[in-house]
Amino acid sequence: MSDMISARGLIKRYKSVTALGGIDLSVPEGTVLGLLGPNGAGKTTAVRIISTLLIPDEGTVEIAGVDVLAEPDKARSRLGLSGQNAAVDEYLTGFENLDMVGRLYGFNRARSRARATELLEMFSLSDAGNRPSKTYSGGMRRRLDLAAALVAAPPVLILDEPTTGLDPRSRNEMWAVIRDLVRDGSTVLLTTQYLEEADRLADDIVVIDQGTSIAHGTADQLKDQFGADRIELVVADPAHLGAARRVLETVSGGTAQVDEDSRELSVPAVEGAASLMDALRQLDAEKIAVSDIGLRRPTLDDVFLTLTGHATEKAEDADNANGPAGTTEAKAPR
Ligand SMILES: Nc1ncnc2c1ncn2[C@@H]1O[C@H](COP(=O)(O)OP(=O)(O)O)[C@@H](O)[C@H]1O
Ligand SMILES: [Mg+2]
């Protein structure tokens, strides 16, 4: 398989900040690479360099074999960029937005209109196609933005946090759309701060934090390598939370996560089932009543916590984590 995206040694510094400290990324044809990292990790910086919008201090990028720094226009014709709604003009209708992009690409009137209609259909926006896009929901705008990136049917798609701030249903719809595109042969680089998104969509995951790649592998490989089984426990009486915590931390040697509202605790189970048995015995000895207890396989969230020392944002809290729409990088290559 040949790499449709290949980035080597990307470095980008802003005065005091090293946004990227030497990142390598490879995306074989027809696959999805998830670039996973918290806010400020350097995801957008990498995306902007790869999509010709920003010149790196050091490093090289090839898109479909085209050197992005040497031939940016040619590279641009092979990629579609979608992120942060930026390509959408909210005063135009969905149809007009797509038609405008087609005309910018030099399509004649008939071809441009036909492509706009086709894309509205593909993204379930036909009914809304003649409404100004400022009346669209967040999910509809994201779909329109992605549709705009697809007008010229580029083989490579770069999606910068395509579902940040979306409600779960819109997120699921977007995932389905992305899966369809990959099934039809697109190569995708996707940035996300959601483990679940990387888990569901990405063939391969690169985890970055503070401009550096800290792990690389499939979701399963990362879980095996960096995750541990966890004991999860719900105490029957909230007054026992503190005592249960001490028991679990003694058994585990790790730090417990405690959710007081749900009376739930969890710790790494270093020795798997043996740790669980141990915990049960001690809880019983201390007469701590338990309404639920079990062993859970690691999730990518656990991996992330292990790697970075901090949990990721929950999807529901992440509205506008990208800042307002219409920032400068918005004028994506079309
Ligand atoms: N134009 C800029 N000037 C100064 N610092 C920047 C600029 N763009 C990004 N940064 C900094 O670079 C780091 C990475 O930012 P970014 O790539 O936007 O991260 P992410 O997309 O993962 O949230 C952050 O610390 C950010 O503040
Ligand atoms: Mg970003």
Side-chain angles (χ1 to χ4, degrees):
M1 268 189 303
S2 62
D3 286 341
M4 290 295 274
I5 303 174
S6 170
R8 291 283 160 264
L10 296 186
I11 296 182
K12 182 73 192 177
R13 300 182 195 91
Y14 296 103
K15 286 181 188 127
S16 58
V17 180
T18 301
L20 290 180
I23 295 271
D24 297 327
L25 301 171
S26 301
V27 195
E29 185 167 10
T31 70
V32 180
L33 176 70
L35 185 60
L36 176 66
N39 255 330
K43 301 181 297 297
T44 298
T45 303
V47 157
R48 295 187 69 202
I49 291 171
I50 291 168
S51 50
T52 76
L53 298 177
L54 186 68
I55 309 278
D57 296 331
E58 286 174 49
T60 57
V61 183
E62 284 187 8
I63 298 283
V66 178
D67 184 328
V68 164
L69 291 167
E71 298 185 278
D73 290 341
K74 193 170 169 192
R76 228 168 271 157
S77 72
R78 286 163 173 60
L79 68 90
L81 172 66
S82 172
Q84 311 178 342
N85 291 327
V88 173
D89 181 332
E90 60 176 10
Y91 292 100
L92 298 182
T93 67
F95 179 86
E96 287 164 347
N97 265 290
L98 298 177
D99 186 35
M100 181 183 70
V101 175
R103 298 308 296 251
L104 287 174
Y105 270 114
F107 291 9
N108 67 31
R109 189 177 154 89
R111 183 175 168 211
S112 179
R113 296 175 70 102
R115 183 65 175 150
T117 304
E118 182 183 27
L119 285 166
L120 288 173
E121 176 75 23
M122 188 172 146
F123 285 86
S124 311
L125 291 169
S126 297
D127 291 344
N130 291 319
R131 276 182 9 219
S133 57
K134 69 176 170 202
T135 67
Y136 287 14
S137 69
M140 291 164 80
R141 283 184 192 215
R142 292 294 176 95
R143 297 208 300 279
L144 181 61
D145 188 69
L146 178 52
L150 295 174
V151 167
V156 173
L157 281 176
I158 299 178
L159 310 177
D160 194 10
E161 299 201 26
T163 68
T164 294
L166 294 187
D167 59 73
R169 183 169 157 218
S170 305
R171 174 167 298 135
N172 273 307
E173 285 170 0
M174 185 60 100
W175 287 348
V177 166
I178 295 169
R179 266 194 221 102
D180 284 350
L181 290 167
V182 175
R183 192 199 54 213
D184 294 342
S186 293
T187 302
V188 176
L189 169 64
L190 164 118
T191 77
T192 185
Q193 33 182 328
Y194 304 142
L195 293 310
E196 193 190 355
E197 184 155 286
D199 211 351
R200 296 277 196 96
L201 292 179
D203 299 296
D204 199 19
I205 297 170
V206 171
V207 186
I208 66 169
D209 196 24
Q210 298 180 7
T212 314
S213 165
I214 53 177
H216 177 201
T218 64
D220 281 340
Q221 285 168 345
L222 293 175
K223 288 175 195 173
D224 285 346
Q225 208 178 334
F226 299 103
D229 287 350
R230 293 186 77 84
I231 298 169
E232 282 188 340
L233 159 65
V234 181
V235 290
D237 180 350
H240 287 157
L241 269 171
R245 171 184 213 143
R246 280 190 297 280
V247 168
L248 289 183
E249 292 189 339
T250 307
V251 167
S252 151
T255 307
Q257 285 178 281
V258 182
D259 184 335
E260 301 201 353
D261 294 334
S262 60
R263 309 190 311 274
E264 195 173 322
L265 303 96
S266 82
V267 284
V270 191
E271 290 172 47
S275 300
L276 179 62
M277 298 288 287
D278 221 10
L280 277 170
R281 272 192 295 267
Q282 289 201 39
L283 289 162
D284 192 44
E286 297 198 22
K287 303 208 177 353
I288 298 169
V290 164
S291 55
D292 194 15
I293 188 165
L295 206 57
R296 176 169 65 66
R297 286 282 299 144
T299 65
L300 270 184
D301 284 282
D302 303 328
V303 171
F304 201 80
L305 189 64
T306 306
L307 285 169
T308 66
H310 49 86
T312 52
E313 283 183 72
K314 287 286 174 248
E316 306 82 56
D317 305 334
D319 209 355
N320 279 330
N322 263 327
T327 47
T328 44
E329 84 190 75
K331 301 303 163 220
R334 302 286 175 200

